[in-house]
């Protein structure tokens, strides 16, 4: 089965009871047990629900994993993935420019429970291996990272994990399984904020974890059932609805992103453009050899802060908002939005300037999107 077919028919595409082409929403909390001496597939919807199950099978199929689980949000998925394998006393090595919510989870919650971490530049394999400790149990990776789209070499990461017996987790939100499947590179868990590209329509909050082995999947399911952070049947259905067009959206949005990145490079008031598809982008050759595409997020530095402000105040078609991955194009200002909680000195170290604007390319006409940026940039 080719990937385009897998998206629609890999799993969970039809209701097993009626053949309906859209899996029904089963809102039931509980299920009649005909014979209590026999274990049924479904007995209580926290533990298992047919609509969620169909989605989870779809997610596992998309990532070519042994098992998939759907959560109430991306951060719920990340929390479940980490706590399914780490306990008090364990340590993890984490991508330095990790998603803000993951940063908060590690620094203000998991450390309180005795799970410690070291942030490192995971684009540098030597630096990554250097911070592995005796009690390190996992490697948590995010690539392309936010907002500068830094690229990790997963081949090197697999080797490091192999040498030290680490479990590898990848936040695969930015590329979606359509462009990258971490498990095929020997990673153990692929995690998503399904709120973004998987859902694709800015109309739900959801998360996913897919595991390479059934054993790890069982550990994740234990946490899901124990902590009750699963996705509702209604949102499971909506997410499946969004996933059906994953290929069409990713292809078009990535093509739009490439076009916009190239146009931005030639504008006099743009000083730097970050897009993994550009040949000059650091790590371009690595992502080119490991992924099927470069995603639909582009960042750039305007020449001045005044210019960046003017763009944000005057755009019409771009929605100025946090989040990304939807069919409507979104423009965000990391310093005041996604990275506002990060100390200025830390931002500076990572190269996140106050002239930086992050774009998530949707499905509008790219000419209109560029014209909108140009016009708003000239209204100083
Ligand atoms: C949005 C996002 C998350 C968090 O997902 P939520 O669905 O908002 O909880 C995690 N990782 C990345 C890379 C994200 O962009």
């Amino acid at each position: 089965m080719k990937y385009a077919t897998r998206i629609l028919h890999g799993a969970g595409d039809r209701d097993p009871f009626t053949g309906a082409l859209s899996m029904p929403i089963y809102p039931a909390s509980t299920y009649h047990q005909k014979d209590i001496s026999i274990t049924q597939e479904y007995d209580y919807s926290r533990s298992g629900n047919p609509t969620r199950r169909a989605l989870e099978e779809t997610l596992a199929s998309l990532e070519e994993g042994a098992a998939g689980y759907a959560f109430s949000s991306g951060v719920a998925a990340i929390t479940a993935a980490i706590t399914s394998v780490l306990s008090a006393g364990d340590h993890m090595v984490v991508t330095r420019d990790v998603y803000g919510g993951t940063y908060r989870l590690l620094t203000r919650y998991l450390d309180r429970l005795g799970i410690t971490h070291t942030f490192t530049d995971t684009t540098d394999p030597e630096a990554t291996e250097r911070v592995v400790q005796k009690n390190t149990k996992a490697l948590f990776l995010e690539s392309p990272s936010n907002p500068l789209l830094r690229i990790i070499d997963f081949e090197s990461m697999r080797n490091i994990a192999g040498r030290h017996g680490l479990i590898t987790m990848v936040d695969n939100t930015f590329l979606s399984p359509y462009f990258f499947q971490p498990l095929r590179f020997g990673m153990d868990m692929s995690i998503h904020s399904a709120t973004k590209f998987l859902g694709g329509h800015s109309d739900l909050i959801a998360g996913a974890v897919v595991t390479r082995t059934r054993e790890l999947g069982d550990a994740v399911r234990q946490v899901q059932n124990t902590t009750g952070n699963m996705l509702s049947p209604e949102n499971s259905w909506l997410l499946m609805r969004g996933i059906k067009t994953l290929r069409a959206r990713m292809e078009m949005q990535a093509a739009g992103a490439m076009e916009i990145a190239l146009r931005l490079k030639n504008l006099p008031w743009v000083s730097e453009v970050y897009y993994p598809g550009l040949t000059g982008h650091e790590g371009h050759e690595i992502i080119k050899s490991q992924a099927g595409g470069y995603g639909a997020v582009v960042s750039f530095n305007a020449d001045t802060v005044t210019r960046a402000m003017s763009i944000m105040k005057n755009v019409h078609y771009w929605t100025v908002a946090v989040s990304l991955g939807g069919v409507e194009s979104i423009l965000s200002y990391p310093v005041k939005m996604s990275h506002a909680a990060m100390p200025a000195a830390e931002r500076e170290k990572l190269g996140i300037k106050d002239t930086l604007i992050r774009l998530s390319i949707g499905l509008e006409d790219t000419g209109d999107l560029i014209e909108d940026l140009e016009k708003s940039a000239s209204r100083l």
Side-chain angles (χ1 to χ4, degrees), residues 1 3-14 21 61:
M1 200 187 322
Y3 202 78
T5 312
R6 178 182 290 274
I7 292 172
L8 291 153
H9 301 295
D13 56 337
R14 292 184 196 128
L21 202 49
S61 167

Side-chain angles (χ1 to χ4, degrees), residues 62-271:
L62 288 178
E63 288 278 11
E64 300 188 31
Y69 295 95
F71 294 88
S72 56
S73 70
V75 291
I78 294 166
T79 308
I82 295 173
T83 56
S84 69
V85 287
L86 276 82
S87 305
D90 292 337
H91 171 263
M92 58 199 292
V93 171
V94 183
T95 296
R96 191 175 59 172
D97 40 352
V98 79
Y99 173 72
T102 310
Y103 181 87
R104 180 170 49 218
L105 173 70
L106 293 165
T107 58
R108 298 198 204 146
Y109 184 69
L110 292 179
D111 58 344
R112 209 151 51 66
L113 307 184
I115 296 172
T116 55
H117 61 270
T118 302
F119 291 115
T120 190
D121 179 3
T122 49
T123 66
D124 178 347
E126 277 167 31
T128 305
E129 189 155 21
R130 217 176 300 133
V131 296
V132 173
Q133 306 174 177
K134 265 210 186 71
N135 63 339
T136 303
K137 195 143 184 208
L139 197 50
F140 189 101
L141 308 167
E142 189 178 320
S143 176
S145 69
N146 182 23
L148 298 179
L149 308 158
R150 292 161 57 89
I151 304 302
I152 292 173
D153 175 7
F154 286 97
E155 202 99 32
S156 304
M157 293 301 122
R158 181 182 54 198
N159 293 338
I160 294 169
R163 280 196 288 275
H164 300 276
L166 310 179
I167 292 165
T168 42
M169 307 177 187
V170 179
D171 184 332
N172 194 26
T173 300
F174 269 41
L175 288 184
S176 91
Y178 181 71
F179 282 139
F180 186 57
Q181 291 144 20
L183 309 185
R184 292 180 51 205
F185 278 79
M187 300 291 112
D188 295 304
M189 297 188 185
S190 181
I191 308 169
H192 290 274
S193 168
T195 310
K196 317 291 169 54
F197 290 103
L198 280 172
H201 294 75
S202 306
D203 54 8
L204 89 157
I205 301 278
V209 179
V210 179
T211 61
R212 193 168 53 77
T213 65
R214 172 128 308 272
E215 196 185 356
L216 278 175
D218 288 345
V220 172
R221 185 174 43 122
Q222 281 280 352
V223 174
Q224 186 192 51
N225 189 38
T226 302
T227 61
N229 52 4
M230 67 290 167
L231 192 63
S232 72
E234 292 79 7
N235 275 341
S236 295
W237 177 84
L238 189 56
L239 181 50
M240 277 189 281
R241 173 75 148 79
I243 286 173
K244 290 181 191 209
T245 56
L246 182 68
R247 176 197 187 196
R249 288 184 287 105
M250 292 310 294
E251 287 287 358
M252 282 211 72
Q253 290 176 234
M258 185 58 142
E259 206 180 317
I260 286 177
L262 288 171
R263 292 281 295 272
L264 285 170
K265 269 183 67 139
N266 291 324
L267 294 176
W269 48 267
V270 172
S271 53

